């Protein structure tokens, strides 16, 4: 029988994974075990610290619901979400950069026609949003599905307001024949991510703030193109350099300009990348 100690146990665990039938799962599990064990040895993890870590992750799980995803918040605030996004969306020259998905997307949001108000009663200064969906050659992408969502003027998404009976500040549109779209909404404001739970405690313990710069979420998909998940960030926001989830990209900073009508206007074209060819 092999005698296990803090140096030899890693090899034993890796050997136990050797017969994993799924090669990808085997690689992921082996990497996870290796890095976790190396981490514990590097920081000389104590039993009390290990127990505190387990308790923290348990609290994260208990905070999760159909309205709140604390594990996504944890991943976001550790920079893991943006790391995975960046690795999997290297993009091509001239295409719109991707950023974090965030925890507040809702499937089956209301459908809107061009020009309609997706705010649907959400508090905030009115805003007109317009643009086009194009491919890398500048050709329009008609019929693209455009999902948009954002926080209201109090920094809250509709799913954070249990009193609401209808969706607000979110919706689904489709680009026109020339790739064009336009809709009404509200001007985004900076807001704090939920920090009344374990992720908030972690931020406080590490001397970090929970704030995100003002932004508008987009998810754009069309047949033959890679789905784009991105934000547009409001230029001049004080948190652009210190986004709590590390999601800001300079190419995604945009201008909300006040027009002659006294209403803010945002115009932006989104450039999609072609989907990778299927492997034969």
């Amino acid at each position: 029988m092999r005698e296990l100690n803090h140096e030899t146990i890693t090899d034993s665990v890796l050997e136990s994974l050797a017969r994993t039938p799924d090669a990808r799962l085997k690689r992921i599990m082996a990497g996870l075990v290796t890095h976790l064990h190396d981490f514990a040895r590097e920081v000389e993890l104590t039993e009390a610290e290990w127990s505190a870590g387990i308790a923290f992750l348990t609290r994260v799980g208990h905070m999760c619901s159909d309205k709140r995803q604390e594990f996504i918040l944890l991943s976001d605030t550790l920079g893991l979400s943006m790391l995975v996004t960046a690795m999997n969306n290297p993009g091509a020259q001239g295409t719109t950069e991707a950023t974090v998905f965030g925890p507040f997307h809702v499937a089956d949001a209301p459908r809107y026609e061009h020009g309609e108000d997706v705010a649907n009663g959400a508090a905030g200064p009115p805003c007109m949003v317009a643009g086009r969906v194009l491919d890398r050659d500048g050709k329009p992408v008609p019929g693209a599905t455009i999902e948009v969502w954002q926080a209201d003027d109090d920094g809250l998404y509709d799913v954070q307001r249990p009193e609401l009976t209808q969706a607000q500040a979110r919706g689904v549109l489709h680009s026109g024949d020339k790739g064009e779209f336009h809709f009404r909404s509200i001007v985004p404001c900076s807001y704090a991510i939920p920090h009344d739970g374990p992720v908030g405690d972690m931020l406080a313990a590490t001397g970090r703030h929970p704030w995100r710069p003002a932004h508008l979420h987009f998810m754009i998909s069309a047949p033959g193109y890679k789905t784009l998940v991105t934000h547009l960030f409001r230029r001049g926001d004080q948190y652009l350099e210190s986004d709590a989830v590390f999601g800001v990209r300079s190419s995604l900073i945009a201008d909300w300009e006040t027009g002659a009508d006294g209403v803010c206007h945002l115009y932006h074209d989104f450039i999609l990348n072609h989907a990778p060819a299927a492997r034969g």
Side-chain angles (χ1 to χ4, degrees), residues 35-56:
H35 288 290
L36 282 176
H37 285 213
D38 285 345
F39 160 75
R41 282 187 286 261
E42 177 186 344
V43 302
E44 298 180 326
L45 195 67
T46 68
E47 289 178 301
E49 291 162 344
W50 172 84
S51 180
I54 295 296
F56 173 79

Side-chain angles (χ1 to χ4, degrees), residues 83-100:
L83 171 61
V84 173
T85 295
M87 288 192 304
N88 287 273
N89 296 275
Q93 186 68 31
T95 58
T96 302
E97 288 190 275
T99 190
V100 291

Side-chain angles (χ1 to χ4, degrees), residues 115-116 118 127-130 148 173 181-185 216 218:
E116 291 188 315
V118 305
C127 171
M128 300 294 295
V129 181
V148 297
L173 305 94
F181 65 89
H182 66 283
F183 60 91
R184 289 178 288 152
S185 189
L216 178 58
F218 287 84

Side-chain angles (χ1 to χ4, degrees), residues 223-270:
Y225 296 90
K226 186 174 177 61
T227 296
L228 172 66
V229 176
T230 194
H231 305 357
L232 292 180
F233 296 91
R234 191 176 175 191
R235 193 180 306 280
D237 191 282
Q238 63 179 315
Y239 297 110
L240 288 173
E241 298 287 345
S242 62
D243 181 9
V245 307
F246 309 97
V248 178
R249 295 293 178 266
S250 59
S251 68
L252 302 178
I253 298 174
D255 295 301
W256 273 255
E257 299 180 336
T258 303
D261 55 2
V263 175
C264 272
H265 290 255
L266 168 67
Y267 186 93
H268 193 85
D269 289 340
F270 294 91

Side-chain angles (χ1 to χ4, degrees), residues 46 71 74 89 113 133 142 172 178-180 218 222 276:
T46 68
F71 270 111
L74 178 60
N89 296 275
E113 298 297 325
V133 181
V172 181
K178 298 179 180 178
E180 80 283 0
F218 287 84

Side-chain angles (χ1 to χ4, degrees), residues 125 127 150-153 186-190 214-216 232 234 237 256:
C127 171
Q150 68 179 105
D152 63 22
D153 211 34
I186 53 176
V187 178
C189 65
S190 53
H215 60 274
L216 178 58
L232 292 180
R234 191 176 175 191
D237 191 282
W256 273 255

